[in-house]
Amino acid sequence: MSPQSSRSSPSSVAVVGGGLAGIAAAVRLAEHGLRVTLIETRQRLGGRATSFVDPATRQVLDNCQHVLLGCCTNLLDLYGRLGVRERIAWHRKLYFLDAAGNLDTLEADDLPAPLHMTRGLMAFRSLTLGEKIAISRGMLAMMRISPAQRDALNAVSFRQWLDDHGQPEGAIEKFWANIVISAINELPERMGANHAIHVFQDGFLANEEAYVMGLPAVPLVELYDAAETVLRRAGGEMLLSTSALGFTFDGGRVTGLRVDGGRVITADAFVSAVPFDRLAKLCDASMPHADARLRRLDEFGVSPIIGIHLVFESDPAHPVMSLPHLILTQSPLQWIFNKGPDGQSGGQHLHGVISAAHSLVDQPADALTEMAVREVRRALGGPAKGARLLHARVVKEKRATFSARPGLDAIRPTAHGAIPNLYLAGDWCKTGWPATMEGAARSGYLAAAALLEDLAPADPVTALVPDLPAGTLYRTIARV
């Protein structure tokens, strides 16, 4: 049955927010023949996962390095629909460096999941034998947790779970913390244990390809350009540099969206794909009374990310950094990404990232740059020690993601609710995933599927792309 076979005429949809969630919803709806108007405040799509023009150099920089894994099936599906999957560079080796200067490589071998990374982890010089054994026990305990049991663990912090399972401080500092802080953008003591366990189950244990890391090979903003073509093909449009001011609400339904310039955009249905605090400002006073999803938006918190772009003078024959990336344990700077030659100065462009940067986000840019340069020189040594810094740019995303605090999942809203023509999307919604690009893509797909099913109940829609299949040995050990 074709997408429109149960519909007498095309319907119109207004999608508010041009981040990944909004793009995912808009693309899926347009592919089903709906006329979609996508409204975005910024000049380009991407939301918090986008790029900007550095005013000092006029170069296009990503606001922060965004990473995906092989287990991000819905995000990869969206990239496929936009025709940009080939713009993702994949890395099978993950490089770790501890405070003592031990460089370790984590790479899967030919053993079946969940044993595919065991030899790599056992070879870590930064971990003691006791720490390796403890990590193995923790991984086994995670494999024995069913999805229902995992959901129930949202009530406790991941730090508490680690302590309850006998994880020594060294294992937490040099392994567990770095992975979950980067994946979830929150500290172990401030995140629900279910989110962290989800990362390890789906990303490192169940499937041999799940951990492989993808990095965009182009500026993030270039990944989204095709969305406009998809929308226009279905008769829709994209309104950039257009600020949403508020919904108009009457008779239990959203009747329009007020935007700057005095215009009111009308549609049959509306998808809100903006953060929770922005949605609260768009709702009039009567909407939370009509829909329980809108009553607890003020209970969400945020977690910041800092991105630090550094350009060093560098000899191509002896670059400041030769590895593609480096995960720093026991360091305030958690990642260094090698962005290659700087197109303007001829130097080398490195990008440092600090996730869950609660204690650092209010520091001045100069202090953050000084810290980042110090950590880069300490970590890389060699040519980095004497390399002259040519340019630096600090980007603070103070509201980068929602804070996945223990207990929060109870109030994460579903895509549809009591207001029949208002659908919610965003990584903060109930997606089954933490605050990731995959979670954002899933939320957009879920909102689109809910809307399509309401329009044509007899024409079921597959909402999500399946997860990577768990290996036979994993399923045997996990008893699933």
Side-chain angles (χ1 to χ4, degrees):
M1 187 175 292
S2 66
Q4 292 187 18
S5 59
S6 299
R7 305 183 185 99
S8 57
S9 62
S11 298
S12 59
V13 183
V15 177
V16 190
L20 272 169
I23 295 169
V27 166
R28 289 293 294 271
L29 292 170
E31 288 177 343
H32 280 77
L34 278 71
R35 289 183 288 107
V36 179
T37 300
L38 179 59
I39 302 105
E40 167 56 36
T41 300
R42 304 188 194 195
Q43 295 179 355
R44 300 288 293 272
L45 296 178
R48 290 160 290 163
T50 192
S51 313
F52 69 98
V53 177
D54 185 342
T57 66
R58 307 309 301 169
Q59 289 185 283
V60 178
L61 302 176
D62 291 340
N63 54 357
C64 185
Q65 180 67 62
H66 284 70
V67 172
L68 64 147
L69 300 179
C71 60
C72 296
T73 55
N74 289 270
L75 178 62
L76 288 169
D77 178 79
L78 176 60
Y79 286 160
R81 293 172 189 270
L82 295 174
V84 296
R85 281 190 69 155
E86 74 282 357
R87 298 182 186 178
I88 305 300
W90 293 98
H91 300 263
R92 303 190 67 86
K93 294 182 179 181
L94 306 180
Y95 299 95
F96 293 75
L97 186 78
D98 70 3
N102 292 307
L103 178 64
D104 292 305
T105 303
L106 188 60
E107 181 183 14
D109 55 26
D110 56 359
L111 292 175
L115 303 179
H116 57 300
M117 306 188 83
T118 302
R119 286 192 289 221
L121 185 60
M122 288 298 116
F124 264 42
R125 293 179 297 163
S126 63
L127 296 169
T128 67
L129 178 59
E131 290 164 352
K132 294 172 185 177
I133 293 172
I135 291 170
S136 298
R137 288 200 312 267
M139 292 286 196
L140 180 60
M142 288 180 174
M143 284 188 280
R144 296 278 173 81
I145 296 173
S146 70
Q149 292 170 329
R150 186 178 73 196
D151 290 345
L153 287 171
N154 183 247
V156 301
S157 74
F158 185 50
R159 176 64 200 230
Q160 183 63 56
W161 189 92
L162 292 171
D163 290 342
D164 291 345
H165 287 78
Q167 296 302 304
E169 196 64 33
I172 296 173
E173 287 184 358
K174 293 177 285 187
F175 181 74
W176 297 111
N178 280 77
I179 292 173
V180 296
I181 290 172
S182 298
I184 300 171
N185 190 36
E186 193 49 280
L187 303 173
E189 61 269 24
R190 297 174 62 146
M191 71 172 69
N194 63 315
H195 297 297
I197 293 169
H198 188 170
V199 168
F200 286 102
Q201 284 181 335
D202 283 22
F204 289 87
L205 294 169
N207 185 287
E208 296 91 338
E209 298 298 314
Y211 85 99
V212 181
M213 183 176 70
L215 300 176
V218 297
L220 283 166
V221 70
E222 294 184 19
L223 298 177
Y224 318 124
D225 290 339
E228 184 172 11
T229 301
V230 176
L231 267 58
R232 293 195 183 281
R233 190 181 299 133
E237 62 178 333
M238 199 160 65
L239 303 179
L240 300 177
S241 301
T242 302
S243 295
L245 303 179
F247 292 115
T248 58
F249 185 66
D250 185 57
R253 299 176 65 86
V254 176
T255 57
L257 176 72
R258 293 181 291 105
V259 299
D260 51 6
R263 180 180 176 185
V264 177
I265 296 172
T266 58
D268 298 317
F270 295 82
V271 177
S272 170
V274 296
F276 46 85
D277 51 342
R278 186 80 181 97
L279 174 59
K281 295 176 181 178
L282 295 178
C283 295
D284 75 8
S286 62
M287 290 176 67
H289 295 289
D291 195 327
R293 296 176 300 166
L294 308 176
R295 293 175 193 162
R296 303 179 70 177
L297 299 177
D298 61 346
E299 295 182 35
F300 285 81
V302 296
S303 187
I305 295 178
I306 299 173
I308 306 173
H309 293 271
L310 303 171
V311 178
F312 289 94
E313 190 173 52
S314 180
D315 178 358
H318 303 284
V320 169
M321 182 175 184
S322 56
L323 293 174
H325 65 268
L326 192 58
I327 303 167
L328 303 182
T329 66
Q330 303 168 300
S331 169
L333 189 67
Q334 296 152 358
W335 284 81
I336 307 172
F337 293 94
N338 183 351
K339 306 294 284 186
D342 175 66
Q344 187 175 76
S345 67
Q348 187 170 14
H349 179 188
L350 306 183
H351 186 36
V353 175
I354 308 169
S355 298
H358 300 284
S359 63
L360 296 173
V361 72
D362 291 326
Q363 289 196 13
D366 288 348
L368 292 170
T369 298
E370 182 179 347
M371 177 275 293
V373 170
R374 182 181 67 248
E375 290 300 298
V376 165
R377 296 192 197 282
R378 178 190 66 81
L380 300 181
K385 286 188 175 181
R388 183 165 62 97
L389 181 68
L390 301 178
H391 177 65
R393 172 66 62 182
V394 175
V395 182
K396 298 179 181 180
E397 289 279 0
K398 292 188 175 184
R399 309 180 71 81
T401 67
F402 73 92
S403 175
R405 63 172 175 80
L408 184 72
D409 280 7
I411 65 170
R412 292 174 74 181
T414 55
H416 54 98
I419 298 177
N421 69 333
L422 177 63
Y423 301 84
L424 303 187
D427 60 6
W428 58 278
C429 294
K430 192 178 293 294
T431 65
W433 274 63
T436 61
M437 293 193 294
E438 170 70 8
R442 284 176 175 245
S443 76
Y445 280 7
L446 288 167
L451 193 159
L452 292 167
E453 289 175 0
D454 285 347
L455 285 176
D459 200 359
V461 175
T462 300
L464 298 175
V465 176
D467 295 334
L468 291 179
T472 301
L473 181 60
Y474 176 87
R475 287 187 281 108
T476 301
I477 298 173
R479 302 167 186 164
V480 297

